[in-house]
Amino acid sequence: MNLGKAIACLKELGVTPNLSDFQSKLVIQKTVFLLELKKIDLGFNYSMYAHGPYSPDLTKQLYRHKPDVEGLNTSEKLSVKEREVLQEFKALFGLPGRWQAGHNCFSFNFRKWRVGLAFAKDNCAGRKDSSK
C-alpha cells in the first residue's frame, strides 16, 4: 500500500481531506479506486460495499496517518504518466475549483459515478476482486 502516493494524487487533484466528514472519506475511497483502475498503483484492494467500492486497508491507513492525510504531507513524487492520468481525471470531473472532499458541491451521484467508470473502463479487465 502506498498512502504517500495516494496523498500526492489527492494533493494534485486539489482535494482537501477531512476525515471527520463522511462525504470526504467517500470521495477519497472512490477517487483512489478509480485511479487504481487507471493503473496508478496505490496498492489498495477493494470489494463492493454499501456505497460502492471500499478498501478497509485504505480506511485504516487514512486514520493511522490522519495528520499527514489532512495536511496533504508526503514526500512521494508523481511520474509524468501519473500526472497525465490525474489531468484527465481533473478534466472529467471539472477540477479544481468546485471539488473539495466533504464540500456539498461534489457528490458521488449516479451520473458522476458513471462518468468515473467510463474514465476507468478501459482498465477494468483483469482486476482482482479482493472479496473473493
Side-chain angles (χ1 to χ4, degrees):
M1 293 173 285
N2 192 340
L3 183 63
K5 186 170 281 190
I7 292 170
C9 290
L10 295 173
K11 187 174 187 175
E12 180 74 18
L13 291 172
V15 173
T16 306
N18 174 0
L19 298 182
S20 300
D21 180 75
F22 174 79
Q23 183 71 16
S24 179
K25 292 181 285 190
L26 185 70
V27 167
I28 293 167
Q29 285 280 345
K30 302 321 174 233
T31 299
V32 170
F33 174 77
L34 290 172
L35 294 176
E36 288 270 5
L37 289 179
K38 286 298 281 187
K39 306 297 187 204
I40 294 182
D41 185 16
L42 302 171
F44 294 99
N45 291 316
Y46 278 81
S47 57
M48 292 307 290
Y49 198 65
H51 295 281
Y54 174 73
S55 172
D57 291 331
L58 176 57
T59 296
K60 289 175 193 169
Q61 291 295 310
L62 292 173
Y63 281 108
R64 185 172 292 138
H65 302 282
K66 184 177 178 177
D68 288 331
V69 172
E70 292 186 335
L72 297 171
N73 301 320
T74 184
S75 60
E76 286 285 331
K77 303 294 182 206
L78 299 171
S79 71
V80 171
K81 174 97 170 102
E82 290 165 340
R83 287 184 186 276
E84 288 172 359
V85 169
L86 292 167
Q87 288 302 316
E88 184 182 351
F89 192 92
K90 283 181 186 181
L92 218 53
F93 285 99
L95 305 174
R98 62 181 185 163
W99 193 45
Q100 299 292 316
H103 190 272
N104 287 335
C105 290
F106 183 88
S107 64
F108 260 92
N109 62 32
F110 182 68
R111 183 176 108 354
K112 287 186 180 178
W113 182 240
R114 282 183 31 192
V115 168
L117 289 177
F119 165 75
K121 79 174 184 178
D122 58 326
N123 294 298
C124 289
R127 290 294 294 180
K128 291 189 302 186
D129 180 353
S130 65
S131 65
K132 294 180 181 177

